[in-house]
Amino acid sequence: MQRTTMDLWVGLFVMAGVGALLVLALKVGNLGTYSAADSYTLTGNFENIGGLKVRAPVKSAGVVVGRVTDIQFSTETYDALVIMSIDSRYQFPKDTFASILTSGLIGEQYIGLAAGGDDAMLKSGDKMMKTNSALVLEEMIGRFLFNKASEGDGNEDAQKN
Amino acid sequence: MTSEPLVEIKGLNFSYGERSILKGIDMTMAHGKVIAIMGGSGSGKTTLLRLIGGAVRPSSGNVKVAGKVVHELKRDELFLMRRKMSMLFQFGALFTDLSVFDNVAFQMREHTDLPESMIRDLVLMKLHAVGLRGAHDLMPAQLSGGMARRVALARSIALDPLLIMYDEPFTGLDPISLTVIGNLIRRLTDALGMTSIVVTHDVQESLKIVDQVYFISDGVIAAHGTPDEVRGSIAPFVHQFVHGEEDGPVSFHYPANAYARDLKLEGSFA
Amino acid sequence: MPRRIVTGIQGIGHRVIDSVWRLGYASRFFLLTLLKSGTSLRRFGLIIRELYFTGVLSLIIIIVSGLFVGMVLGLQGYETLQRYGAESAVGTMVALSLLRELGPVVAALLFASRAGSAITAEIGLMKATEQLAAMEMMAVDPIARVVAPRFWAGVISMPLLAALFSAIGIFGGYLVAVILIGVDEGSFWSQMQGAVDFRYDIVNGVIKTFVFGIAITAIAVFEGYDASPTAEGVSGATTRTVVTSALAILGLDFILTSFMFRGMG
């Protein structure tokens, strides 16, 4: 085989391989729209995070604006400390409300941000004060049954009187 | 050229584990000569070449090439020495992934900074010396056994070595190629002023071209001398070897127990 | 009877000592290869030639297999997911399975049987025909001149081939799910992009392929260099390369996966 032909093929091969990596990174990995490089960190304490996992999306108005980077248990407040990385193109007011939501009935859990009206913006490392825990299905069912039961008790009492 | 011999071997012993291959070999090989080392298969001839090339270490004794003890050299010193010697392997050992041209150019490209145009001239000259200038484009797979051997010869003289060792250069060649290779060895040795050591058991062909013959049998030198001395020798081993007789000092039978005992015939008679 | 037991125990001991010795020998060979890589890295032409044999010649099998694996994943994924009404997640499934596991592992297995065996056979044959000994006698180190370029070419080719495999596999999944079955194209890509993380999925996959590439080519060059110089020796070494590489790939994949994706969603 001629040297130049071989070089040509190897060049094409390397270009195709690198091209495939780029396609994977940009088209599939969505690196183009979300990059960990220019982002800032926010934290929030949640009473119960339910099934929230590291890497879960952080959305505002349905748009992905960041990701959960770490979840820890706080021994001071005995609740969950969630650390998230937010795209620095998106700034949120100080009184932004963070809640753990579920996409669909049994879908994955994510953090939803609802912007408040404060003029001051959240800075990197800030803690969001207004948080709302995950809705845990078992707790909801438990509460529902408890309510039903206590309603029943009330009726019995009424009949006695 | 110095009067000191190029290769000097003193009291050389070599063994694989407990099996001793060479026992107390002494040899001297002068500049500009063709020396044949002959002996039966498995008599340690190839091992001797490997010892001269520094591929294996002697158990005792030493090999001196150009005044230096080979097994005492460090790896880079050994590599430096090997640039002055080359070895022609049994079937040529051409690099199958390189063309004839690239095979001959291999050492020039690895060891020198010569410009490509000069390498081209040198390679064509070397190939011309073995009569294969026209074959420089071929791949080794396209060559016949004799041609491959000639290309390997051209490759081994690429850097004008002082010493070439040939490991069974005549094996598997037709009579014409055999004569061609034999004459090439003689001619190149004379033209380039190098020394050739030919390990072979092809008696008739090598006696025509060499200056000196060593016979090795059972790890010792059984006889040595010029071709004429060897032809006229009445030493039983040499006579058997030169004339290719079946029985003699080298017996047909490998040492064994008594025949009758091996066949378990003894018991029935006892 | 006790005699037999003793021989049995001796047999076990012999095998253990043998394999430990071989492992040590292989590690030493691997280190030597790395140490002597200077020549081939300086003369990159040597590596380019080997890239042609390990990389370019493996392209066809990688592309065809990638396409079919992706198409099958799309078909089976759709079959399963549509039972739960989640057929738009088929893109996520295809992409995640390819990027995390199937891409690196299947590409590595194919690479081992296509390029790894070829490397072993070539080096083994060079040894059997005394080409390595001839090179050594020409004062050229065969590890630097023959082994190292093949090793680096393998290490470079593997991640590129695996990336191609995954990319073409995802395209195959797209062909089946979107073009053939009719899953909505927008949700196919957006669900995939929502679920695939660059750092965790793509970078980890590439790291895996690098490790596999090193393992396969290290095994292949060692088996070739260590082959006994006969026809049977070379064919045995070629078989060992494929078997050992396959086991190494699967074992390493488990170890890497358990470190990389522990506790991931």
Side-chain angles (χ1 to χ4, degrees), chain B residues 53 75 79 82-83 85 87 89-91 93-98 106-107 109-111 155 165 167, chain C residues 36 39 43 46 49-50 122 126 129-142 145 150:
Chain B
R75 190 174 166 82
F79 268 30
R82 282 185 182 166
R83 292 194 197 183
M85 42 166 111
M87 184 149 167
F89 284 83
Q90 195 161 0
F91 293 103
L94 293 176
F95 301 130
T96 38
D97 54 340
L98 300 177
F106 184 81
Q107 284 193 84
R109 289 186 179 141
E110 294 291 326
H111 292 316
R155 183 179 69 177
M165 295 177 274
D167 187 5
Chain C
K36 294 180 178 177
T39 319
R43 288 167 59 188
L46 292 176
R49 194 188 158 277
E50 300 310 328
E122 198 187 9
M126 288 183 85
T129 53
E130 295 185 304
Q131 292 179 45
L132 296 184
M135 202 173 274
E136 181 101 7
M137 281 304 297
M138 291 178 193
V140 175
D141 192 327
R145 183 62 172 67
R150 283 167 177 75

Side-chain angles (χ1 to χ4, degrees), chain A residues 34-36 38-46 49 52-60 64-72 80-88 90 92 96-101 109-114 122-132:
Chain A
Y34 169 69
S35 152
D38 30 321
S39 60
Y40 63 102
T41 309
L42 293 180
T43 62
N45 285 65
F46 292 86
I49 58 164
L52 187 75
K53 293 193 174 67
V54 174
R55 269 199 332 120
V58 178
K59 297 183 184 178
S60 186
V64 177
V65 295
R67 284 193 189 276
V68 173
T69 51
D70 199 9
I71 298 172
Q72 294 160 358
L81 175 66
V82 174
I83 297 155
M84 47 208 127
S85 158
I86 309 291
D87 194 321
S88 32
Y90 307 118
F92 290 93
T96 293
F97 207 94
S99 33
I100 297 178
L101 303 169
Q109 284 182 307
Y110 64 95
I111 292 185
L113 299 183
L122 284 165
K123 290 187 296 293
S124 187
D126 278 358
K127 176 171 282 189
M128 282 181 281
M129 301 315 290
K130 295 178 157 187
T131 62
N132 200 355

Side-chain angles (χ1 to χ4, degrees), chain A:
Chain A
M1 165 116 13
Q2 277 296 303
R3 188 73 224 214
T4 41
T5 336
M6 200 177 267
D7 286 354
L8 179 72
W9 273 106
V10 171
L12 285 177
F13 162 60
V14 172
M15 272 164 57
V18 173
L21 267 179
L22 281 180
V23 167
L24 290 180
L26 297 178
K27 177 92 182 161
V28 179
N30 220 3
L31 194 66
T33 54
Y34 169 69
S35 152
D38 30 321
S39 60
Y40 63 102
T41 309
L42 293 180
T43 62
N45 285 65
F46 292 86
E47 211 171 282
N48 191 333
I49 58 164
L52 187 75
K53 293 193 174 67
V54 174
R55 269 199 332 120
V58 178
K59 297 183 184 178
S60 186
V63 178
V64 177
V65 295
R67 284 193 189 276
V68 173
T69 51
D70 199 9
I71 298 172
Q72 294 160 358
F73 180 70
S74 162
T75 44
E76 289 160 25
T77 46
Y78 297 106
D79 56 10
L81 175 66
V82 174
I83 297 155
M84 47 208 127
S85 158
I86 309 291
D87 194 321
S88 32
R89 285 178 299 170
Y90 307 118
Q91 301 290 329
F92 290 93
K94 277 261 187 223
D95 58 347
T96 293
F97 207 94
S99 33
I100 297 178
L101 303 169
T102 309
S103 54
L105 192 59
I106 50 167
E108 60 166 0
Q109 284 182 307
Y110 64 95
I111 292 185
L113 299 183
D118 205 322
D119 285 341
M121 291 294 174
L122 284 165
K123 290 187 296 293
S124 187
D126 278 358
K127 176 171 282 189
M128 282 181 281
M129 301 315 290
K130 295 178 157 187
T131 62
N132 200 355
S133 280
L135 287 177
V136 179
L137 208 57
E138 295 92 313
E139 271 182 20
M140 278 169 64
I141 293 169
R143 207 177 297 151
F144 174 75
L145 290 177
F146 182 76
N147 283 347
K148 269 284 173 212
S150 53
E151 264 175 39
D153 284 353
N155 288 346
E156 273 172 31
D157 288 348
Q159 277 175 356
K160 255 180 205 169
N161 288 346

Side-chain angles (χ1 to χ4, degrees), chain C residues 227-252:
Chain C
S228 42
T230 58
E232 303 87 67
V234 175
S235 74
T238 312
T239 313
R240 270 204 305 283
T241 294
V242 177
V243 173
T244 318
S245 304
L247 292 178
I249 291 163
L250 297 172
L252 283 171

Side-chain angles (χ1 to χ4, degrees), chain C residues 107-120:
Chain C
L109 289 174
L110 292 172
F111 184 72
S113 37
R114 173 68 187 77
S117 61
I119 290 174
T120 305

